[in-house]
Amino acid sequence: MPASFSIASSPYSYFVNVRTGIFDEMLDKLYKPHIITDEFFHPLFKYGEQPIFLEATEAAKSLDRMPALIEQLRAAGLKRGQEITAIGGGIIQDIVSFTTSIYMRGILWNYFPTTVLAMVDSCIGGKSSINVGPYKNLVGAFHSPQHIFIDPALAETLPRDQFASGLIEAAKITFVRGPESFARYLSCSPSIDMSTPALESVIMEGLTAKKHFIEIDEFDKKERLLLNFGHTFGHAFESASNYAIPHGIAVGLGILCSLAFQRDRGISFHGITAVAHLENHLDTLIRTFPGLSDRLVALNPGDIYSRMASDKKHNTRWWTLILVSPSGEVISEHMDPRGDIADRIRQAIASTIALFS
Ligand SMILES: NC(=O)c1ccc[n+]([C@@H]2O[C@H](COP(=O)([O-])OP(=O)(O)OC[C@H]3O[C@@H](n4cnc5c(N)ncnc54)[C@H](O)[C@@H]3O)[C@@H](O)[C@H]2O)c1
Ligand SMILES: [Zn+2]
């Protein structure tokens, strides 16, 4: 079902349209030199049309690549009062959000997300994150697009593991929102073979859940932090694999680690059906990643633990972990990461790796 809604945010409210076919309808009307897109979409443009193409890699998302892009925007004649259109996944989104937040002290932009991850999650919330040297997502700003146009049909060309990666983020957001939202998500029968109309329903469920968190806590002070569920472990898997493991797959592994960690502390989750459903669902999606077991056996739980230690959400003495409580609620817990906690974290990582090896 096509839908449109707005997101309240402090600088300005912005708008989201979800409708299959909207991309093809609008592409012709866009001024091509002011489009920034993923090289993957080269075939969509006619000879002579000159959008700015970028490769969708973590290297392209680094601060030292920004001056060249800013010069390209200047060469394309982009002035204050004009708008950029971004077409791509989370990488293109992060780059465009960041550069438009600083170009001539800020210009407006609109966004067509093209990955499931960007459609269900990152397209709203306003964050941009850019890598600096070896540090992922170290700098950024809050700078939302004016208008987000979501065409679920664009996801039809995604590789299977990229599709699964996005579904894992949708599972995460709806699980964090609560059992009703997660049950509605599961009732769409989410899988990498799902139909485009079913994906449209998943996108609506994911965005509705995320809208709740970003509207009550726009700047990530309290409730929104719960959306980092699976991410402290997940980012460590992602970077330990040198970004060979897609973000959502790594988050799925991270969620399984956080559940293993709680079990090791004596929490059984017995009778909490949502937890059992989440684990089964994640297991299926994670296995879509080709070469998973080879990648995982090459990782070292001690190395993953050290990478977790540098998570920017911790302070020097206390770590903040997002965990599932004995009643199945997602909660934030501060803990001293030394002694037995460190052992349990390493053990949770090792047992999760063993599940897929
Ligand atoms: N700013 C935020 O709120 C936020 C949130 C989550 C993730 N992120 C960032 O997003 C990035 C990951 O983004 P992503 O997973 O959306 O993907 P991506 O942009 O990294 O793209 C993944 C791959 O899919 C390809 N691709 C994109 N759209 C396609 C399509 N329709 N068909 C076929 N191939 C397509 C790309 O070329 C690339 O090879 C990470 O850098 C992460 O840090 C940002
Ligand atoms: Zn994520």
Side-chain angles (χ1 to χ4, degrees):
M1 277 270 286
S4 56
F5 56 96
S6 64
I7 307 280
S9 96
S10 50
Y12 44 78
S13 291
Y14 52 99
F15 300 91
V16 185
N17 273 62
V18 186
R19 182 157 58 84
T20 301
I22 197 168
F23 179 68
D24 287 346
E25 280 166 33
M26 293 188 62
L27 183 62
D28 271 354
K29 300 179 196 121
L30 298 172
Y31 178 60
K32 305 300 182 293
H34 291 179
I35 292 178
I36 299 179
T37 187
D38 184 329
E39 275 168 355
F40 176 83
F41 294 107
H42 222 287
L44 293 182
F45 295 90
K46 299 184 191 86
Y47 183 74
E49 290 181 340
Q50 287 178 319
I52 296 174
F53 291 109
L54 299 175
E55 59 180 43
T57 60
E58 288 297 325
K61 211 183 93 163
S62 64
L63 192 59
D64 56 9
R65 297 276 184 98
M66 297 305 127
L69 175 60
I70 290 168
E71 284 186 40
Q72 273 183 288
L73 297 179
R74 182 70 183 78
L78 187 67
K79 300 195 185 68
R80 283 196 70 98
Q82 294 180 317
E83 298 180 9
I84 282 285
T85 301
I87 304 170
I91 297 228
I92 299 296
Q93 177 193 337
D94 272 343
I95 295 172
V96 175
S97 174
F98 183 72
T99 48
T100 55
S101 74
I102 53 175
Y103 184 80
M104 297 190 175
R105 290 192 208 88
I107 57 165
L108 304 178
W109 67 293
N110 299 303
Y111 182 36
F112 290 87
T114 65
T115 59
V116 175
L117 181 139
M119 293 179 194
V120 301
D121 176 9
S122 65
C123 70
I124 60 171
K127 283 187 193 171
S128 66
S129 309
I130 294 292
N131 307 328
V132 183
Y135 303 106
K136 181 163 153 91
N137 292 347
L138 188 64
V139 299
F142 282 91
H143 186 51
S144 297
Q146 295 289 298
H147 215 128
I148 299 152
F149 303 99
I150 303 178
D151 188 336
L154 280 168
E156 286 167 10
T157 50
L158 275 178
R160 296 157 62 85
D161 57 333
Q162 289 291 345
F163 198 99
S165 179
L167 287 181
I168 290 173
E169 289 280 14
K172 177 216 71 179
I173 299 168
T174 54
F175 185 87
V176 176
R177 181 72 182 95
E180 291 87 12
S181 178
F182 186 56
R184 283 194 298 272
Y185 163 76
L186 288 180
S187 74
C188 304
S189 305
S191 82
I192 56 169
D193 302 312
M194 72 195 303
S195 68
T196 298
L199 175 62
E200 195 167 298
S201 305
V202 160
I203 292 166
M204 279 308 298
E205 193 56 50
L207 291 181
T208 305
K210 181 156 176 185
K211 175 176 154 77
H212 166 82
F213 289 100
I214 60 183
E215 288 189 336
I216 57 172
D217 177 21
E218 185 175 358
F219 297 113
D220 238 352
K221 301 285 180 230
K222 195 165 172 241
E223 293 88 347
R224 188 172 174 179
L225 290 172
L226 298 177
L227 295 180
N228 289 320
F229 183 37
H231 280 64
T232 299
F233 284 99
H235 284 146
F237 274 91
E238 214 182 347
S239 72
S241 78
N242 211 6
Y243 300 97
I245 302 179
H247 177 74
I249 301 283
V251 168
L253 291 165
I255 292 174
L256 295 181
C257 285
S258 68
L259 293 169
F261 173 72
Q262 290 295 68
R263 287 207 175 92
D264 196 42
R265 294 163 90 202
I267 297 169
S268 79
F269 302 119
H270 212 74
I272 316 267
T273 51
V275 170
H277 288 146
L278 179 66
E279 278 177 309
N280 285 335
H281 183 54
L282 293 179
D283 187 274
T284 309
L285 294 174
I286 289 168
R287 288 180 196 279
T288 61
F289 177 56
L292 177 71
S293 72
D294 291 348
R295 287 273 176 210
L296 289 182
V297 289
L299 301 180
N300 169 341
D303 173 42
I304 295 180
Y305 174 84
S306 315
R307 288 170 191 270
M308 285 176 74
S310 63
D311 191 294
K312 59 182 182 271
K313 288 177 286 297
H314 306 321
N315 68 28
T316 43
R317 261 189 69 83
W318 298 95
W319 283 21
T320 305
L321 288 182
I322 311 297
L323 298 167
V324 180
S325 76
S327 63
E329 205 188 340
V330 177
I331 51 158
S332 166
E333 211 178 303
H334 301 292
M335 58 187 75
D336 184 338
R338 288 164 296 189
D340 72 315
I341 293 288
D343 294 339
R344 288 181 200 282
I345 289 175
R346 277 191 286 261
Q347 179 53 35
I349 295 166
S351 66
T352 304
I353 290 177
L355 270 180
F356 298 97
S357 306

